[in-house]
Amino acid sequence: MIEQKDELLVNHLAKQGVDDKMVMGHPAGLFVLFFTEMWERFSYYGMRALLTLFLVSSLADGGWEWTRADALKLYGWYTGLVYLTPIIGGIIADRLMGFRKAIFVGALIMTLGHASMAMEGFSQSFFFLGLALMIIGNGLFKPNISSMVGQIYPDNSAKKDAGYTIFYMGINSGAFLGMLLCGYIGEKEGWHLGFGLAGIFMFFGMLQFYFARKYFGRIGEAPKEAGTVEQTTTEDDADAIPEHVRRDRLIVIGVLILFSTFFWLAFEQAGGSMNIFAADYTQRVLTGNAAITFKWVDAALTLFPLIILTSVLFGLSKKLLSTYPKTIICTFISMIIIWVLGVWKIQREFTALETEVAASWFQILNSFFIITLATVFSKIWEKVWNPSGPIKFALALLLLGTGFAALAYGCKDIPQGAQTASVSMVWLILAYFFHTTGELCLSPVGLSYVSKLSPKKLLGLIFGLWFASSAIANFAGSMLGSTIDYISTQYSMAHFFGIFAVIPGAVAVILILLSPKLKKMMHGIN
């Protein structure tokens, strides 16, 4: 049975003009996209970890001394537009540029955006220009690289869900390293250095993808360049699916997108109100055994992903070094720089007189838990329990609400209206753990379902709509997040985080009730 499924994959790759070189049982091209997306996420999350902290920090510390409400609103506008522009980027790729050109152009524009932000010390205009360029570039990049992952596999390949899970680990590896290093350097050494570091790795990600572009054969080409073979295949696939089946599946996608919006509305508090909570309400100065323990834990967290990623890169280099040496060289240079920065950070912490946990450090927990738990969840779906997509989404919402409930409980002793506090970091760590388990039930599952349920001619557009749910969520979530001072003053901090516990829980119940109908409307897609 396994051989037959592998044969389906090999035949599919041959039709697309792609060789069948495999890494860890998956096409080598998956790992080219893995590292491209990893460096893009490094740059995005590295900058995101600093954004609100930079805006609210004092002028003496190099920040702009904005109010929390204003900083969270700008954060919401930025992250919202980042996830809204993929609709336009998906349409452009579907009709004009193709996925490959859109990814490269988007990466180039984002690189220029990071460079502009690094010059914020010269003029505030550079900061806002950088945000605008990253919004535009992400619109071209984000939906189309996810679409390319889907096109590497045939829809009936048993490896497709696993491929998206591996890709998702790449996303979170980049996010982890970006928040860890850009956040640390930005807070400890200078905001502009953190912003600039994010751009360096976006540049390397762009280069390594560009040099490997020909590996993908016809996958991701512009419509006019793809040739009659791909067009005929697409038309045949469309004709083979009855109209009512396509309609029902599109409805299911729409419902999943709607409910995912409620998830991201609460989840994206990580870069906003939870970041503020980490900076002002969490005990971050450690002494004695606690300080020593943190230093060793932080060192392990820094080195663990670097070792794993380096081993993956060696596996990829064995397959592609002879044919695409520039791609491998660019990625190796990137990893060497990361290793140097990681070792420097560890050495600096062990020799520091005071141990203060950076506020941005807590955001790495989400990515760390994903890297360590993704395989566990994959095995659960494969061997223990594999419910339908809607049930997985409902479970995600329940776990997310549980995380905020834990955080709300940890805030119960904060006085009404307090501007600072010293809550144990255990509650924030626990919240990130539950949020991550929820994310693993929703995000990679959602990417896979969108790929499987979407008509191929509309794949880029529908991936854009999937990411647009995050745009709406970020707009709404930032507006709610900006009320942190008002609600904590009028009621309490526990009330504020309690809101984000109740909303996902209520929505999850509704989705559970709808799940039998949605499962029928997927017409055999599981």
Side-chain angles (χ1 to χ4, degrees):
M1 187 67 178
I2 295 176
E3 292 180 0
Q4 182 182 3
K5 291 176 180 177
D6 287 343
E7 191 65 30
L8 288 172
L9 176 58
V10 170
N11 290 338
H12 172 77
L13 293 172
K15 289 179 182 178
Q16 300 298 328
V18 181
D19 66 45
D20 58 359
K21 292 178 180 176
M22 299 287 171
V23 178
M24 297 168 56
H26 289 267
L30 171 67
F31 293 92
V32 173
L33 299 176
F34 173 101
F35 280 107
T36 304
E37 177 72 356
M38 188 182 87
W39 296 130
E40 186 275 330
R41 291 291 87 182
F42 180 103
S43 69
Y44 172 75
Y45 280 99
M47 190 282 290
R48 196 195 76 164
L50 295 173
L51 184 56
T52 54
L53 296 175
F54 163 70
L55 292 172
V56 301
S57 66
S58 66
L59 295 174
D61 291 332
W64 286 3
E65 212 168 302
W66 282 20
T67 65
R68 293 172 181 173
D70 288 340
L72 290 171
K73 286 176 182 176
L74 178 63
Y75 171 83
W77 275 104
Y78 169 67
T79 55
L81 289 171
V82 156
Y83 285 106
L84 187 62
T85 51
I87 297 178
I88 300 171
I91 294 173
I92 290 172
D94 282 337
R95 299 184 180 181
L96 298 173
M97 298 178 70
F99 299 144
R100 297 209 305 244
K101 287 182 180 178
I103 291 168
F104 174 75
V105 173
L108 176 60
I109 294 173
M110 284 190 286
T111 300
L112 296 174
H114 283 292
S116 182
M117 286 194 72
M119 296 189 290
E120 57 82 20
F122 295 101
S123 171
Q124 292 188 1
S125 299
F126 283 114
F127 179 85
F128 292 110
L129 174 62
L131 290 180
L133 289 172
M134 285 189 287
I135 289 168
I136 295 169
N138 187 81
L140 289 169
F141 185 98
K142 187 65 178 172
N144 299 311
I145 194 165
S146 298
S147 299
M148 279 194 70
V149 173
Q151 289 198 342
I152 289 176
Y153 301 88
D155 285 340
N156 53 354
S157 172
K159 291 181 177 291
K160 190 164 191 171
D161 284 5
Y164 268 109
T165 300
I166 292 171
F167 180 69
Y168 203 66
M169 289 179 68
I171 291 174
N172 284 279
S173 297
F176 176 90
L177 293 170
M179 290 183 286
L180 182 76
L181 296 175
C182 294
Y184 183 87
I185 290 173
E187 286 189 66
K188 304 284 188 178
E189 300 294 332
W191 303 109
H192 63 286
L193 294 176
F195 292 139
L197 181 64
I200 290 173
F201 291 98
M202 185 69 259
F203 176 71
F204 279 111
M206 175 189 71
L207 288 182
Q208 73 98 25
F209 176 79
Y210 177 79
F211 290 132
R213 67 194 185 282
K214 293 183 179 179
Y215 165 86
F216 294 98
R218 288 185 291 275
I219 294 176
E221 285 188 340
K224 293 181 180 180
E225 299 173 354
T228 58
V229 174
E230 187 177 25
Q231 292 171 5
T232 303
T233 301
T234 302
E235 291 169 2
D236 290 344
D237 290 344
D239 292 339
I241 302 175
E243 181 63 30
H244 74 281
V245 173
R246 287 202 299 273
R247 183 192 65 239
D248 285 353
R249 289 176 177 173
L250 286 172
I251 291 173
V252 172
I253 291 173
V255 172
L256 294 180
I257 288 175
L258 174 64
F259 281 88
S260 71
T261 302
F262 288 95
F263 180 90
W264 298 120
L265 179 149
F267 183 89
E268 287 295 342
Q269 295 302 311
S273 61
M274 290 177 69
N275 215 5
I276 297 295
F277 181 82
D280 296 335
Y281 296 92
T282 302
Q283 173 57 37
R284 296 186 291 111
V285 177
L286 305 178
T287 58
N289 290 333
I292 295 172
T293 300
F294 174 78
K295 289 177 181 179
W296 283 105
V297 169
D298 185 53
L301 287 175
T302 302
L303 295 176
F304 174 74
L306 293 181
I307 293 170
I308 298 298
L309 292 170
T310 302
S311 66
V312 172
L313 179 55
F314 272 110
L316 181 63
S317 67
K318 291 178 183 178
K319 302 294 182 179
L320 296 185
L321 182 59
S322 61
T323 49
Y324 299 98
K326 293 180 181 178
T327 287
I328 300 301
I329 291 171
C330 285
T331 311
F332 264 114
I333 292 173
S334 303
M335 289 303 301
I336 290 170
I337 296 173
I338 288 288
W339 270 100
V340 170
L341 290 174
V343 172
W344 166 81
K345 174 183 174 295
I346 292 170
Q347 187 272 337
R348 189 181 189 277
E349 281 298 297
F350 271 97
T351 56
L353 297 177
E354 182 182 64
T355 300
E356 181 179 6
V357 182
S360 58
W361 180 88
F362 293 94
Q363 293 186 62
I364 74 171
L365 295 172
N366 170 243
S367 297
F368 173 74
F369 286 137
I370 281 181
I371 294 168
T372 54
L373 295 176
T375 303
V376 175
F377 272 76
S378 180
K379 294 297 183 183
I380 291 173
W381 304 145
E382 182 181 349
K383 297 183 178 180
V384 181
W385 183 48
N386 189 26
S388 65
I391 292 296
K392 289 177 181 175
F393 272 48
L395 181 60
L397 288 159
L398 290 172
L399 289 167
L400 179 69
T402 302
F404 277 110
L407 190 55
Y409 180 80
C411 296
K412 62 181 175 50
D413 294 328
I414 296 179
Q416 184 177 349
Q419 291 296 301
T420 60
S422 296
V423 175
S424 170
M425 65 172 64
V426 169
W427 298 108
L428 202 52
I429 293 170
L430 195 60
Y432 274 112
F433 172 79
F434 280 109
H435 291 183
T436 302
T437 56
E439 184 182 3
L440 284 168
C441 293
L442 183 138
S443 196
V445 173
L447 290 173
S448 181
Y449 269 81
V450 168
S451 176
K452 291 187 286 189
L453 293 170
S454 300
K456 297 298 174 283
K457 290 182 178 180
L458 301 176
L459 192 59
L461 170 61
I462 294 177
F463 264 112
L465 292 172
W466 166 257
F467 291 117
S469 70
S470 293
I472 297 170
N474 274 283
F475 286 135
S478 66
M479 294 303 106
L480 282 173
S482 67
T483 64
I484 184 171
D485 285 336
Y486 174 80
I487 292 177
S488 63
T489 300
Q490 296 296 317
Y491 302 97
S492 69
M493 188 65 71
H495 277 79
F496 173 79
F497 287 116
I499 293 172
F500 296 104
V502 172
I503 293 175
V507 173
V509 173
I510 298 172
L511 187 54
I512 290 171
L513 296 175
L514 292 175
S515 63
K517 178 64 174 177
L518 294 174
K519 186 175 181 179
K520 290 181 181 179
M521 294 176 68
M522 289 189 284
H523 296 282
I525 295 293
N526 296 312

